[in-house]
Amino acid sequence: MTRKQKLIRLIIAQLNTELQLITQSAKAAHEAATHEESKAEDSHDTRGLEASYLAGAQMARAEALKKTIATYQFMNARDLQADDPIDIGALIEIETAGRKFHYFLVSQGGGMAVTFEGKTIQVITSLAPLGEVLLGRRVGDVAEIEGQRIQREYKITGVS
């Protein structure tokens, strides 16, 4: 099993844990919404309605997590060489302000961090501002992101 396959399995395990928790919460909210005590006592009593909205939102999140997990299960993240351009599935090391950061670039399902091989790996998508500027660059390149008040430079120090 390659490093990336191990990383992807770790991400899937973390997503599955989140899926289990959100599914349990959705079931609890659904039970609360349909429980006899949640029946409205007057026109201003919205306990049951609020619980049903919560259950619906949690089930929608669960469905989104299932789709994200499926994406990772079928992900073919090939190993990149140091001179390859950054692409989906790349593990990237960057340096900014004297600090090193590690990213895993994916097509969807970013926004989480995992600890892998003693490093914190931030999972980002190619649509995120940093992911967008890293895509296609190579080791040694400097990627810049301009914000409203600041401009940051990220030197690409490694890719695999």
Side-chain angles (χ1 to χ4, degrees):
M1 179 181 306
T2 68
R3 286 179 68 228
K4 284 192 187 170
Q5 288 171 330
K6 289 178 185 177
L7 174 61
I8 291 169
R9 282 194 178 186
L10 177 65
I11 292 168
I12 290 171
Q14 191 167 318
L15 289 169
N16 274 320
T17 299
E18 184 180 347
L19 177 60
Q20 287 176 337
L21 291 172
I22 200 79
T23 301
Q24 289 171 354
S25 295
K27 285 179 184 177
H30 180 266
E31 288 172 9
T34 57
H35 193 273
E36 186 176 311
E37 289 182 9
S38 293
K39 288 184 181 175
E41 294 176 8
D42 60 38
S43 63
H44 301 289
D45 187 354
T46 60
R47 287 177 291 180
L49 183 61
E50 290 170 5
S52 70
Y53 287 153
L54 178 60
Q58 288 171 328
M59 287 310 296
R61 174 68 180 141
E63 289 304 313
L65 281 169
K66 287 177 186 177
K67 288 178 183 176
T68 300
I69 290 167
T71 298
Y72 280 105
Q73 288 172 329
F74 295 105
M75 181 180 223
N76 184 14
R78 69 178 180 87
D79 288 329
L80 299 176
Q81 303 302 313
D83 59 342
D84 286 340
I86 292 172
D87 199 1
I88 299 298
L91 270 170
I92 309 155
E93 180 182 86
I94 63 170
E95 188 175 308
T96 184
R99 297 180 57 204
K100 290 191 178 198
F101 298 92
H102 299 88
Y103 296 93
F104 184 48
L105 187 64
V106 296
S107 60
Q108 65 179 20
M112 65 186 297
V114 295
T115 301
F116 180 69
E117 296 179 347
K119 298 173 187 158
T120 299
I121 310 277
Q122 180 70 42
V123 181
I124 61 172
T125 69
S126 56
L127 298 176
L130 182 58
E132 193 175 328
V133 299
L134 290 173
L135 203 57
R137 297 193 186 264
R138 301 173 189 272
V139 172
D141 289 350
V142 174
E144 296 179 6
I145 296 180
E146 292 185 36
Q148 291 179 356
R149 291 180 253 153
I150 59 169
Q151 178 176 343
R152 292 220 172 166
E153 292 185 350
Y154 300 91
K155 182 172 183 176
I156 302 165
T157 57
V159 65
S160 61

